[in-house]
Protein backbone atom coordinates (compact mmCIF):
# COMPACT_ATOMS: atom_id res chain seq x y z
CA UNK A 1 0.00 0.00 0.00
CA UNK A 2 1.41 3.42 -0.93
CA UNK A 3 1.35 6.50 1.22
CA UNK A 4 -1.30 8.07 -1.06
CA UNK A 5 -3.58 5.08 -0.51
CA UNK A 6 -3.21 5.56 3.24
CA UNK A 7 -4.54 9.08 2.85
CA UNK A 8 -7.55 7.86 0.88
CA UNK A 9 -8.56 5.45 3.65
CA UNK A 10 -8.57 8.08 6.41
CA UNK A 11 -11.45 10.50 6.81
CA UNK A 12 -10.53 14.12 7.61
CA UNK A 13 -11.64 15.20 11.07
CA UNK A 14 -12.91 18.53 9.71
CA UNK A 15 -15.51 16.58 7.67
CA UNK A 16 -16.82 14.66 10.67
CA UNK A 17 -19.46 17.16 11.87
CA UNK A 18 -20.19 16.95 15.62
CA UNK A 19 -17.29 14.57 16.18
CA UNK A 20 -14.89 17.40 15.34
CA UNK A 21 -16.42 19.54 18.12
CA UNK A 22 -16.20 16.63 20.59
CA UNK A 23 -12.50 16.19 19.78
CA UNK A 24 -11.77 19.93 19.99
CA UNK A 25 -13.60 20.12 23.32
CA UNK A 26 -11.54 17.24 24.75
CA UNK A 27 -8.29 18.85 23.58
CA UNK A 28 -9.36 22.27 24.92
CA UNK A 29 -10.07 20.80 28.36
CA UNK A 30 -6.81 18.85 28.48
CA UNK A 31 -4.65 21.74 27.27
CA UNK A 32 -6.49 24.68 28.91
CA UNK A 33 -6.19 26.27 25.43
CA UNK A 34 -8.88 28.87 26.02
CA UNK A 35 -7.40 29.95 29.38
CA UNK A 36 -3.94 30.27 27.81
CA UNK A 37 -5.32 32.47 25.01
CA UNK A 38 -7.10 34.63 27.59
CA UNK A 39 -3.85 34.99 29.55
CA UNK A 40 -2.07 36.00 26.36
CA UNK A 41 -4.71 38.67 25.77
CA UNK A 42 -4.36 40.01 29.33
CA UNK A 43 -0.56 40.17 29.00
CA UNK A 44 -0.41 41.74 25.54
CA UNK A 45 -3.52 43.80 24.90
CA UNK A 46 -2.60 46.75 27.14
CA UNK A 47 0.43 47.61 24.94
CA UNK A 48 -1.45 46.99 21.68
CA UNK A 49 -4.37 49.10 22.90
CA UNK A 50 -2.00 51.91 23.86
CA UNK A 51 -0.46 51.95 20.39
CA UNK A 52 -3.88 52.10 18.73
CA UNK A 53 -5.17 54.80 21.02
CA UNK A 54 -2.18 57.09 20.32
CA UNK A 55 -3.29 57.33 16.67
CA UNK A 56 -6.94 58.18 17.43
CA UNK A 57 -8.69 61.52 17.86
CA UNK A 58 -10.43 61.82 21.21
CA UNK A 59 -13.91 61.96 19.69
CA UNK A 60 -13.21 59.14 17.24
CA UNK A 61 -15.07 55.84 17.63
CA UNK A 62 -12.80 52.80 17.91
CA UNK A 63 -14.02 50.00 15.65
CA UNK A 64 -13.35 46.32 16.26
CA UNK A 65 -14.08 43.20 14.20
CA UNK A 66 -14.13 39.73 15.81
CA UNK A 67 -13.89 36.81 13.39
CA UNK A 68 -15.31 33.59 14.88
CA UNK A 69 -15.05 34.54 18.58
CA UNK A 70 -17.02 31.45 19.66
CA UNK A 71 -18.36 32.00 23.17
CA UNK A 72 -16.31 35.16 23.49
CA UNK A 73 -13.76 34.09 26.11
CA UNK A 74 -10.84 35.87 24.43
CA UNK A 75 -12.68 38.52 22.44
CA UNK A 76 -14.63 40.09 25.30
CA UNK A 77 -11.28 40.45 27.14
CA UNK A 78 -9.86 42.20 24.10
CA UNK A 79 -12.79 44.61 24.20
CA UNK A 80 -12.43 45.36 27.88
CA UNK A 81 -8.71 46.14 27.42
CA UNK A 82 -9.45 48.37 24.44
CA UNK A 83 -12.19 50.13 26.36
CA UNK A 84 -9.99 50.59 29.41
CA UNK A 85 -6.85 51.78 27.66
CA UNK A 86 -7.76 52.97 24.25
CA UNK A 87 -11.08 54.65 24.06
CA UNK A 88 -14.39 55.22 25.75
CA UNK A 89 -16.43 54.75 22.56
CA UNK A 90 -16.18 51.35 20.85
CA UNK A 91 -18.21 49.70 18.11
CA UNK A 92 -17.68 45.94 17.90
CA UNK A 93 -18.82 43.84 14.95
CA UNK A 94 -19.11 40.23 16.11
CA UNK A 95 -19.05 37.77 13.19
CA UNK A 96 -20.01 34.35 14.53
CA UNK A 97 -21.91 31.79 12.41
CA UNK A 98 -22.83 29.44 15.26
CA UNK A 99 -26.09 30.61 16.89
CA UNK A 100 -25.49 28.69 20.13
CA UNK A 101 -22.00 30.16 20.59
CA UNK A 102 -23.26 33.63 19.78
CA UNK A 103 -25.97 33.34 22.45
CA UNK A 104 -23.34 32.22 24.99
CA UNK A 105 -21.26 35.29 24.10
CA UNK A 106 -24.30 37.56 24.43
CA UNK A 107 -25.06 36.06 27.87
CA UNK A 108 -21.47 36.70 28.93
CA UNK A 109 -21.75 40.32 27.80
CA UNK A 110 -24.92 40.87 29.80
CA UNK A 111 -23.29 39.35 32.90
CA UNK A 112 -20.25 41.60 32.47
CA UNK A 113 -22.13 44.72 31.49
CA UNK A 114 -20.04 46.92 33.81
CA UNK A 115 -16.77 46.04 32.02
CA UNK A 116 -18.31 46.37 28.57
CA UNK A 117 -20.67 49.30 29.01
CA UNK A 118 -20.48 51.82 26.16
CA UNK A 119 -19.44 49.08 23.76
CA UNK A 120 -21.91 49.18 20.90
CA UNK A 121 -22.26 45.53 19.77
CA UNK A 122 -23.26 44.71 16.21
CA UNK A 123 -24.03 40.96 16.26
CA UNK A 124 -23.74 39.24 12.88
CA UNK A 125 -24.63 35.57 12.74
CA UNK A 126 -22.61 35.05 9.57
CA UNK A 127 -19.67 33.13 8.20
CA UNK A 128 -16.65 35.05 6.97
CA UNK A 129 -17.80 34.37 3.42
CA UNK A 130 -21.32 35.73 4.14
CA UNK A 131 -19.89 38.76 5.90
CA UNK A 132 -17.70 39.57 2.89
CA UNK A 133 -20.74 39.45 0.62
CA UNK A 134 -22.69 41.94 2.77
CA UNK A 135 -20.02 44.24 4.29
CA UNK A 136 -19.81 47.81 3.08
CA UNK A 137 -16.63 48.77 1.29
CA UNK A 138 -16.09 51.74 3.61
CA UNK A 139 -16.31 49.69 6.85
CA UNK A 140 -12.81 49.78 8.36
CA UNK A 141 -11.50 48.66 11.74
CA UNK A 142 -8.81 49.68 14.21
CA UNK A 143 -8.53 46.17 15.64
CA UNK A 144 -9.38 42.80 14.08
CA UNK A 145 -9.04 39.47 15.89
CA UNK A 146 -9.20 35.97 14.47
CA UNK A 147 -8.45 33.48 17.22
CA UNK A 148 -8.45 29.84 16.05
CA UNK A 149 -10.90 30.75 13.30
CA UNK A 150 -8.80 31.58 10.19
CA UNK A 151 -8.82 27.83 9.35
CA UNK A 152 -12.49 28.08 8.38
CA UNK A 153 -12.37 31.25 6.29
CA UNK A 154 -11.43 29.62 2.97
CA UNK A 155 -8.39 30.57 0.86
CA UNK A 156 -5.74 31.81 3.30
CA UNK A 157 -4.13 34.45 1.06
CA UNK A 158 -7.49 35.94 0.09
CA UNK A 159 -8.73 35.98 3.71
CA UNK A 160 -5.60 37.71 5.01
CA UNK A 161 -5.67 40.24 2.18
CA UNK A 162 -9.33 41.03 2.87
CA UNK A 163 -8.75 41.46 6.60
CA UNK A 164 -5.64 43.58 6.02
CA UNK A 165 -7.56 45.84 3.67
CA UNK A 166 -10.29 46.21 6.30
CA UNK A 167 -7.80 47.82 8.71
CA UNK A 168 -7.51 51.56 9.21
CA UNK A 169 -3.98 52.92 8.84
CA UNK A 170 -2.14 52.03 12.07
CA UNK A 171 -4.77 49.36 12.83
CA UNK A 172 -3.85 45.91 14.11
CA UNK A 173 -4.86 42.41 13.00
CA UNK A 174 -4.08 39.52 15.36
CA UNK A 175 -4.36 36.01 13.92
CA UNK A 176 -3.89 33.29 16.54
CA UNK A 177 -3.50 29.74 15.25
CA UNK A 178 -1.43 26.61 15.61
CA UNK A 179 2.30 27.31 15.48
CA UNK A 180 4.26 25.89 12.55
CA UNK A 181 7.16 25.20 14.89
CA UNK A 182 4.99 23.45 17.49
CA UNK A 183 3.77 19.88 17.87
CA UNK A 184 0.85 20.28 15.43
CA UNK A 185 2.96 21.95 12.75
CA UNK A 186 5.63 19.29 12.94
CA UNK A 187 3.26 16.32 13.18
CA UNK A 188 1.26 17.49 10.17
CA UNK A 189 4.43 18.09 8.20
CA UNK A 190 5.45 14.52 9.02
CA UNK A 191 2.01 13.17 8.00
CA UNK A 192 2.21 15.04 4.70
CA UNK A 193 5.77 14.06 3.91
CA UNK A 194 5.80 10.43 4.98
CA UNK A 195 2.17 9.37 4.42
CA UNK A 196 1.15 11.82 1.71
CA UNK A 197 -1.79 12.81 3.89
CA UNK A 198 -3.65 16.03 3.18
CA UNK A 199 -4.25 18.08 6.32
CA UNK A 200 -6.65 20.89 5.50
CA UNK A 201 -5.55 23.15 8.37
CA UNK A 202 -3.09 26.07 8.42
CA UNK A 203 -0.28 26.88 10.78
CA UNK A 204 1.60 30.13 11.45
CA UNK A 205 4.18 29.07 8.83
CA UNK A 206 1.43 29.16 6.18
CA UNK A 207 0.36 32.61 7.42
CA UNK A 208 3.97 33.84 7.18
CA UNK A 209 4.21 32.61 3.57
CA UNK A 210 0.83 34.06 2.63
CA UNK A 211 1.77 37.45 4.09
CA UNK A 212 5.17 37.47 2.40
CA UNK A 213 3.57 36.65 -0.97
CA UNK A 214 1.29 39.65 -0.65
CA UNK A 215 3.60 42.17 1.00
CA UNK A 216 1.55 42.19 4.18
CA UNK A 217 3.96 43.27 6.92
CA UNK A 218 4.09 41.07 10.03
CA UNK A 219 5.08 43.19 13.02
CA UNK A 220 5.68 40.28 15.38
CA UNK A 221 4.97 36.60 15.98
CA UNK A 222 4.62 35.44 19.57
CA UNK A 223 4.47 31.84 20.72
CA UNK A 224 1.63 30.97 23.10
CA UNK A 225 2.72 28.01 25.17
CA UNK A 226 -0.07 25.39 25.23
CA UNK A 227 0.63 21.86 26.41
CA UNK A 228 -1.45 18.73 26.80
CA UNK A 229 -0.89 15.35 28.48
CA UNK A 230 -1.33 12.87 25.61
CA UNK A 231 -0.11 9.72 27.45
CA UNK A 232 -3.50 8.08 26.79
CA UNK A 233 -2.68 8.00 23.03
CA UNK A 234 0.17 5.54 23.59
CA UNK A 235 -1.79 2.59 25.02
CA UNK A 236 -1.86 -0.47 22.69
CA UNK A 237 -4.46 0.25 19.94
CA UNK A 238 -6.92 -2.44 21.15
CA UNK A 239 -6.77 -1.03 24.69
CA UNK A 240 -7.08 2.66 23.87
CA UNK A 241 -9.68 4.41 26.02
CA UNK A 242 -12.37 6.48 24.32
CA UNK A 243 -10.51 9.67 25.29
CA UNK A 244 -7.20 8.27 24.00
CA UNK A 245 -8.84 7.50 20.66
CA UNK A 246 -10.47 10.91 20.34
CA UNK A 247 -7.31 12.77 21.33
CA UNK A 248 -5.27 10.85 18.76
CA UNK A 249 -7.88 11.74 16.16
CA UNK A 250 -7.64 15.41 17.09
CA UNK A 251 -3.85 15.40 16.86
CA UNK A 252 -3.78 13.63 13.49
CA UNK A 253 -6.92 15.41 12.26
CA UNK A 254 -8.41 12.14 11.06
CA UNK A 255 -11.27 9.88 12.19
CA UNK A 256 -10.48 6.58 13.94
CA UNK A 257 -6.78 6.88 13.26
CA UNK A 258 -5.78 4.03 15.63
CA UNK A 259 -8.17 1.57 13.94
CA UNK A 260 -7.99 2.70 10.32
CA UNK A 261 -4.32 3.51 9.75
CA UNK A 262 -2.24 0.50 8.71
CA UNK A 263 -0.16 -0.69 11.69
CA UNK A 264 3.27 0.29 10.32
CA UNK A 265 2.11 3.85 9.56
CA UNK A 266 0.29 4.16 12.87
CA UNK A 267 3.42 3.04 14.76
CA UNK A 268 5.57 5.49 12.82
CA UNK A 269 3.20 8.37 13.62
CA UNK A 270 3.08 7.42 17.31
CA UNK A 271 6.87 7.28 17.45
CA UNK A 272 7.10 10.73 15.90
CA UNK A 273 4.35 12.08 18.17
CA UNK A 274 6.20 10.90 21.28
CA UNK A 275 9.57 12.21 20.05
CA UNK A 276 11.16 15.54 20.99
CA UNK A 277 9.89 17.00 17.73
CA UNK A 278 6.37 17.12 19.18
CA UNK A 279 6.47 16.29 22.88
CA UNK A 280 8.47 16.22 26.09
CA UNK A 281 8.43 13.94 29.12
CA UNK A 282 6.66 15.25 32.23
CA UNK A 283 7.84 14.78 35.83
CA UNK A 284 5.87 11.52 36.26
CA UNK A 285 6.95 10.15 32.87
CA UNK A 286 3.84 11.37 31.05
CA UNK A 287 3.97 12.46 27.39
CA UNK A 288 3.35 16.21 27.20
CA UNK A 289 2.46 17.48 23.72
CA UNK A 290 3.79 20.90 22.70
CA UNK A 291 0.59 22.15 21.10
CA UNK A 292 1.87 25.72 20.82
CA UNK A 293 -0.19 28.44 19.21
CA UNK A 294 1.29 31.51 17.58
CA UNK A 295 -0.12 35.03 17.65
CA UNK A 296 0.71 36.73 14.35
CA UNK A 297 0.50 40.50 14.80
CA UNK A 298 0.01 42.54 11.64
CA UNK A 299 -0.06 46.34 11.62
CA UNK A 300 -1.43 48.33 8.68
CA UNK A 301 1.18 50.77 7.40
C1 LIG B 1 -12.11 26.66 17.27
S1 LIG B 1 -13.39 27.80 17.42
C2 LIG B 1 -12.53 29.18 18.11
C3 LIG B 1 -13.41 30.03 18.98
C4 LIG B 1 -12.68 31.11 19.74
N1 LIG B 1 -12.16 32.15 18.87
C5 LIG B 1 -11.57 30.50 20.56
O1 LIG B 1 -10.40 30.81 20.33
O2 LIG B 1 -11.90 29.73 21.46
C6 LIG B 1 -13.67 28.31 15.74
C7 LIG B 1 -14.66 29.45 15.59
O3 LIG B 1 -14.76 29.81 14.21
C8 LIG B 1 -16.13 29.90 13.88
N2 LIG B 1 -16.28 29.62 12.44
C9 LIG B 1 -16.45 28.43 11.82
N3 LIG B 1 -16.58 28.59 10.50
C10 LIG B 1 -16.47 29.93 10.27
C11 LIG B 1 -16.53 30.75 9.10
N4 LIG B 1 -16.71 30.20 7.90
N5 LIG B 1 -16.41 32.09 9.25
C12 LIG B 1 -16.22 32.63 10.47
N6 LIG B 1 -16.13 31.92 11.62
C13 LIG B 1 -16.26 30.58 11.52
C14 LIG B 1 -16.80 28.84 14.75
O4 LIG B 1 -18.20 29.03 14.86
C15 LIG B 1 -16.06 29.06 16.05
O5 LIG B 1 -16.59 30.12 16.78
Amino acid sequence: MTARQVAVDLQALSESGDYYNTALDLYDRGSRRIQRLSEWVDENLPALAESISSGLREDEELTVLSVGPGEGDSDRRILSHLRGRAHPKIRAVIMEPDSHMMRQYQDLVSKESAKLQDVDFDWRQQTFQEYQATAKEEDKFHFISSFSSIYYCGDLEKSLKYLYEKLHCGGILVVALMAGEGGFGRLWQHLRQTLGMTIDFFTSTDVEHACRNQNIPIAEIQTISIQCDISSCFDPPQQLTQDGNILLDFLTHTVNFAQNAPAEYRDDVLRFLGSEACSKTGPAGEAIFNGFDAAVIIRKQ
Side-chain angles (χ1 to χ4, degrees), residues 196-207:
M197 280 174 57
T198 312
I199 304 270
D200 53 353
F201 248 49
F202 314 121
T203 68
S204 58
T205 308
D206 301 310
V207 170

Side-chain angles (χ1 to χ4, degrees), residues 25-222:
D25 190 49
L26 181 71
Y27 178 75
D28 277 356
R29 278 186 278 124
S31 64
R32 298 178 65 249
R33 182 186 68 90
I34 292 172
Q35 288 92 320
R36 289 294 301 123
L37 290 178
S38 298
E39 285 160 18
W40 185 87
V41 167
D42 289 344
E43 283 158 22
N44 291 278
L45 250 290
L48 294 178
E50 203 70 57
S51 77
I52 289 180
S53 117
S54 59
L56 282 180
R57 291 191 319 272
E58 222 166 82
D59 61 339
E60 204 175 341
E61 186 178 58
L62 184 125
T63 50
V64 179
L65 174 66
S66 291
V67 180
E71 297 173 4
D73 296 275
S74 305
D75 287 68
R76 49 115 190 176
R77 280 170 190 271
I78 292 175
L79 289 174
S80 60
H81 283 291
L82 289 171
R83 181 181 165 267
R85 289 279 180 141
H87 234 57
K89 258 167 60 184
I90 296 185
R91 191 171 78 86
V93 175
I94 311 295
M95 177 213 303
E96 172 50 61
D98 184 298
S99 61
H100 175 72
M101 288 188 191
M102 183 174 268
R103 252 194 320 279
Q104 298 284 106
Y105 191 179
Q106 288 167 333
D107 286 350
L108 206 59
V109 167
S110 43
K111 277 192 208 122
E112 299 202 337
S113 52
K115 280 192 199 156
L116 297 172
Q117 63 180 319
D118 303 330
V119 178
D120 176 14
F121 282 94
D122 179 352
W123 301 97
R124 309 266 181 105
Q125 197 198 320
Q126 287 179 320
T127 62
F128 179 70
Q129 296 80 349
E130 288 163 349
Y131 175 81
Q132 278 182 283
T134 53
K136 292 195 197 105
E137 172 109 34
E138 63 271 22
D139 284 345
K140 299 270 178 189
F141 300 91
H142 298 99
F143 193 92
I144 302 179
S145 58
S146 169
F147 277 39
S148 313
S149 59
I150 198 77
Y151 315 113
Y152 315 101
C153 294
D155 183 275
L156 183 61
E157 288 204 359
K158 286 191 187 145
S159 313
L160 290 169
K161 183 157 191 265
Y162 180 82
L163 292 175
Y164 185 68
E165 282 174 356
K166 279 279 161 210
L167 285 174
H168 280 296
C169 238
I172 291 174
L173 162 65
V174 180
V175 179
L177 78 170
M178 287 162 181
E181 281 307 314
F184 283 106
R186 290 182 179 164
L187 180 66
W188 295 347
Q189 186 69 1
H190 184 78
L191 292 169
R192 286 186 188 110
Q193 280 174 354
T194 61
L195 305 189
M197 280 174 57
T198 312
I199 304 270
D200 53 353
F201 248 49
F202 314 121
T203 68
S204 58
T205 308
D206 301 310
V207 170
E208 280 183 80
H209 288 153
C211 287
R212 201 173 306 129
N213 287 346
Q214 303 184 100
N215 294 322
I216 295 176
I218 294 180
E220 198 182 343
I221 300 184
Q222 290 192 18

